[in-house]
Amino acid sequence: MIYPISMLSQYGRYTAFLGKRQDIKAEAKQEEADVKPKRTYRKTVDKAPDKRKTPSYSTKAMPKEKEVARKLIQEAGDDYVRMVFKLMNIRTGTTKSGEKIISEYCQPSSRYSYSDIGVDETKLIEGIAGIMGDFSLRNSSLENTGTIRYVKCDLAIGAESKIKDLSSIEYVGGSVIIESNSDEEARQKLEELNFHPRVLGKKIITIPFSPPSKRGAKKSNKLDCMA
């Protein structure tokens, strides 16, 4: 059978994409052992049937109060990126090809965002090629993903996210978790952000949008900034 040149051209581009995706996936797996995210977790301690406690242990060390955090950033001056990574317990590394990678990315607290304390998020992701854990854009002021090419786990996008362009991302090992009114609206939003589902390792998860005035104390763990 003879195939049209246009069809062969499309097939060639598609197979080239699949090969490139496998290379990125292999690169992410290779670096996984060195740079792993340290997540916030909960542990239940049973002292007695009527005195059960569930304390929270967090690997984050950012101040709870916004003003205190802002003062820390001001005192750190131009070197605040290193301080933020340390307080957020974000581990950094370099691939064999010399690219920079980080363990995860999310906002500093559920009480305030990076922009609230004077942090320029573009500086935090400057020169970063990969994220070995989750990449949460919830409450983020980032408008694009800079040089980030791959995310090992999930990519989370909230209704309040300022993101406008995800075209740099070539591979997501987990799911895209997006706050939206419907699956169709979510796919349309991702298309507008120049993100194609074919780069996904898993699926698109839609979480119903709820206005800020109707949001209670309990939020979805999938969209929590500590996810």
Side-chain angles (χ1 to χ4, degrees):
M1 181 180 293
I2 299 176
Y3 295 96
I5 293 177
S6 60
M7 183 179 294
L8 290 174
S9 177
Q10 290 177 2
Y11 177 76
R13 287 198 297 269
Y14 183 65
T15 53
F17 165 79
L18 289 179
K20 187 175 183 181
R21 171 176 166 170
Q22 289 301 319
D23 291 341
I24 295 173
K25 186 175 181 180
E27 183 179 348
K29 188 174 182 180
Q30 182 178 5
E31 302 299 331
E32 183 178 8
D34 298 325
V35 182
K36 286 185 177 180
K38 291 191 176 182
R39 301 164 179 265
T40 299
Y41 64 95
R42 297 179 68 86
K43 181 180 179 182
T44 302
V45 180
D46 293 340
K47 290 186 176 180
D50 59 336
K51 293 184 179 180
R52 294 180 178 178
K53 296 183 179 180
T54 307
S56 295
Y57 297 84
S58 176
T59 59
K60 318 299 181 186
M62 288 295 284
K64 292 183 178 180
E65 299 302 325
K66 180 172 63 176
E67 295 303 324
V68 177
R70 181 184 290 141
K71 186 175 180 180
L72 280 177
I73 297 301
Q74 291 174 345
E75 292 176 349
D78 296 334
D79 197 35
Y80 68 70
V81 172
R82 184 182 303 177
M83 185 193 70
V84 167
F85 281 1
K86 183 177 181 180
L87 291 176
M88 290 292 290
N89 201 16
I90 296 176
R91 302 175 67 190
T92 61
T94 306
T95 65
K96 290 184 177 181
S97 59
E99 294 182 322
K100 292 168 61 178
I101 55 176
I102 58 177
S103 58
E104 61 184 331
Y105 187 92
C106 69
Q107 293 301 298
S109 171
S110 58
R111 302 184 180 203
Y112 56 85
S113 65
Y114 281 125
S115 61
D116 290 334
I117 58 176
V119 171
D120 181 355
E121 291 190 64
T122 59
K123 290 185 177 181
L124 296 183
I125 66 168
E126 186 176 1
I128 301 298
I131 299 177
M132 307 313 294
D134 294 331
F135 184 17
S136 176
L137 290 170
R138 181 162 172 77
N139 294 317
S140 173
S141 295
L142 285 173
E143 294 189 355
N144 63 72
T145 47
T147 56
I148 297 172
R149 295 190 299 111
Y150 57 88
V151 178
K152 185 69 170 57
C153 296
D154 295 337
L155 171 64
I157 304 171
E160 74 294 323
S161 298
K162 301 296 191 298
I163 194 70
K164 295 180 180 179
D165 184 18
L166 294 170
S167 61
S168 72
I169 298 179
E170 301 170 3
Y171 172 71
V172 175
S175 300
V176 167
I177 303 152
I178 183 169
E179 192 171 17
S180 179
N181 290 317
S182 66
D183 292 344
E184 181 60 31
E185 183 181 277
R187 290 182 178 277
Q188 183 177 351
K189 176 66 176 177
L190 290 173
E191 184 178 342
E192 292 172 356
L193 295 175
N194 300 312
F195 182 87
H196 199 288
R198 69 184 180 186
V199 308
L200 272 176
K202 294 186 179 179
K203 58 184 178 180
I204 298 173
I205 298 175
T206 303
I207 294 179
F209 169 73
S210 58
S213 60
K214 294 184 179 180
R215 292 179 184 173
K218 293 183 178 180
K219 297 181 180 180
S220 168
N221 290 332
K222 285 293 184 180
L223 281 176
D224 195 298
C225 76
M226 294 306 228

